[in-house]
Amino acid sequence: VQLQASGGGLVQAGGSLRLSCAASERTFSRYHMGWFRQAPGKEREFVAKISLSGGTTYYADSVKGRFTISRDNAKGTVYLQMNSLKPEDTAVYYCAAAPVFGSREGDYDYWGQGTQVTVSS
């Protein structure tokens, strides 16, 4: 599965962005999807995940209440709506696909190329 992330950019603190991640294959609906991020000088960390049908979601505490993950299986796309952005949200954001509903990097078999999100104070 090839994943193409987009939607990153520069935004002021308090602003919003919506990231998208499009999959290349019709088997998209067979994968749980997740978003991770990596800030400069830090390890990549889990952000959010969504189950096969989209009925179950889970978030890192740092983004809970501000970010929303969703998916459209017909379009083969997963989204991350990011509201009330903070400078500490600045990172490269990656989408990933997994056969299990996990939160660890090792649970994910396929990764997108990443999209930069920069939040200015």
Side-chain angles (χ1 to χ4, degrees):
V1 177
Q2 291 186 333
L3 302 172
Q4 181 72 38
S6 62
L10 173 64
V11 63
Q12 289 187 334
S16 299
L17 281 175
R18 188 176 83 153
L19 306 184
S20 299
C21 175
S24 62
E25 298 184 9
R26 297 178 182 178
T27 55
F28 172 80
S29 62
R30 299 180 186 177
Y31 293 92
H32 304 280
M33 298 297 296
W35 286 95
F36 290 74
R37 67 186 181 185
Q38 187 168 21
K42 295 186 177 181
E43 295 185 351
R44 189 154 56 183
E45 64 176 2
F46 167 80
V47 174
K49 62 182 178 181
I50 188 166
S51 61
L52 299 177
S53 65
T56 303
T57 57
Y58 185 80
Y59 300 90
D61 287 343
S62 59
V63 307
K64 200 174 296 182
R66 300 187 298 121
F67 290 11
T68 302
I69 188 171
S70 61
R71 68 189 295 165
D72 185 334
N73 285 343
K75 295 183 178 180
T77 303
V78 63
Y79 305 95
L80 186 68
Q81 177 66 44
M82 306 185 294
N83 298 329
S84 302
L85 282 162
K86 305 174 181 180
E88 51 263 44
D89 294 318
T90 295
V92 177
Y93 283 71
Y94 299 89
C95 59
V100 298
F101 193 54
S103 303
R104 302 175 304 163
E105 286 190 52
D107 294 328
Y108 290 78
D109 293 339
Y110 304 99
W111 292 82
Q113 85 288 3
T115 184
Q116 176 71 47
V117 171
T118 304
V119 184
S120 63
S121 57

